[in-house]
Amino acid sequence: VDRDQFINLHGVNPDKIAIVPNGADVSEIVGSGEHQLPGDLKDKLADATVLLYAGSTNYQPNAAAVRFLSNRMMPELERMQVGRFKLILTGGGKKVADTHQAILNAGRLPDDAFKAVMARADICLAPTMSGSGTRLKILEYMAAGKAIVATPKGAEGIDCETDRHIVIAEPNRFVEEVIELAADGTKREQLGVAARELVRGKYDWDTCIKPLWRSVVLEITGQ
């Protein structure tokens, strides 16, 4: 989509454009389960079903996503299954009004701590409603083998299939999909395995960067 818009706006020769998608360092993320949660966070989570949303609220689409989670999703989950769910927010940024009591705002975490939080999460979320580009955090969730629920906008630009690599749901279906996925450990595991293989095959940085190197070589050699 970005390539086509660039061509239409600026009249660039399509042969001069190399598509280099966002990626993830799979080898760095696969071992995330080896990291330990901070003690206070581990105690607060206890045996809850843990949801994770990562993204700085200084970016407006992320702030809107946090408002959705706090004002719509978490109250509904609490009404349907009292005390079961905890949502961890990471990424830091400006405070977004008053958040739901079942939300733990961990702020901006060091890499090892974030990997530990991601490993503890049962379901990772991407309720993005606006913006452009692909979500790096979804690729990181996938590389870690996590089950993910995302809006169509959140999954935009990633070559994934719903119910195979990820669950894609409109905002009005988000709660139902989270409830169903929380109850189905087998599906969470299957999604995580498929997601990791997708990233390993298409979105590992070693693979993603190849179109750029090819275009540079062709330019240098004049082919």
Side-chain angles (χ1 to χ4, degrees):
V1 171
D2 291 341
R3 176 198 59 200
D4 292 345
Q5 289 184 352
F6 198 75
I7 292 169
N8 291 334
L9 286 170
H10 304 292
V12 178
N13 180 350
D15 294 337
K16 295 291 187 180
I17 298 179
I19 302 299
V20 182
N22 276 330
D25 192 336
V26 178
S27 62
E28 284 292 320
I29 296 172
V30 165
S32 59
E34 300 171 0
H35 300 284
Q36 298 297 314
L37 279 175
D40 59 336
L41 191 55
K42 184 176 181 180
D43 292 340
K44 290 176 182 177
L45 295 175
D47 59 353
T49 297
V50 177
L51 312 174
L52 171 64
Y53 177 74
S56 170
T57 52
N58 289 336
Y59 180 51
Q60 191 278 329
N62 291 345
V66 170
R67 286 192 292 270
F68 167 80
L69 295 171
S70 184
N71 299 335
R72 291 180 56 184
M73 190 191 78
M74 291 309 296
E76 188 66 10
L77 287 176
E78 184 68 10
R79 184 185 66 81
M80 297 174 72
Q81 297 191 8
V82 178
R84 176 177 182 180
F85 294 93
K86 296 285 187 183
L87 169 62
I88 303 176
L89 300 179
T90 73
K94 299 175 182 177
K95 181 177 174 60
V96 180
D98 293 325
T99 52
H100 190 272
Q101 60 186 7
I103 293 177
L104 304 176
N105 192 339
R108 187 173 179 85
L109 296 173
D111 191 51
D112 287 355
F114 175 72
K115 288 178 180 177
V117 168
M118 187 162 55
R120 175 63 181 86
D122 297 289
I123 302 171
C124 296
L125 307 176
T128 307
M129 315 294 181
S130 62
S132 63
T134 51
R135 319 308 148 192
L136 280 164
K137 284 295 182 258
I138 287 187
L139 296 175
E140 292 181 0
Y141 298 155
M142 287 181 161
K146 308 308 296 187
I148 305 160
V149 181
T151 56
K153 173 60 74 172
E156 186 177 56
I158 299 174
D159 188 17
C160 57
E161 298 177 29
T162 190
D163 290 324
R164 180 182 176 189
H165 308 105
I166 189 172
V167 174
I168 299 176
E170 296 290 350
N172 62 355
R173 283 282 305 164
F174 225 77
V175 169
E176 288 79 3
E177 296 293 354
V178 169
I179 290 282
E180 290 178 16
L181 200 51
D184 193 340
T186 299
K187 183 175 181 179
R188 294 199 306 273
E189 183 176 357
Q190 290 172 342
L191 287 168
V193 169
R196 178 177 287 165
E197 289 309 305
L198 175 69
V199 173
R200 197 189 302 274
K202 287 191 175 185
Y203 296 105
D204 185 79
W205 278 121
D206 286 342
T207 300
C208 290
I209 208 70
K210 287 178 181 178
L212 177 60
W213 298 140
R214 281 197 296 268
S215 69
V216 170
V217 169
L218 290 175
E219 188 69 24
I220 291 172
T221 61
Q223 297 180 16

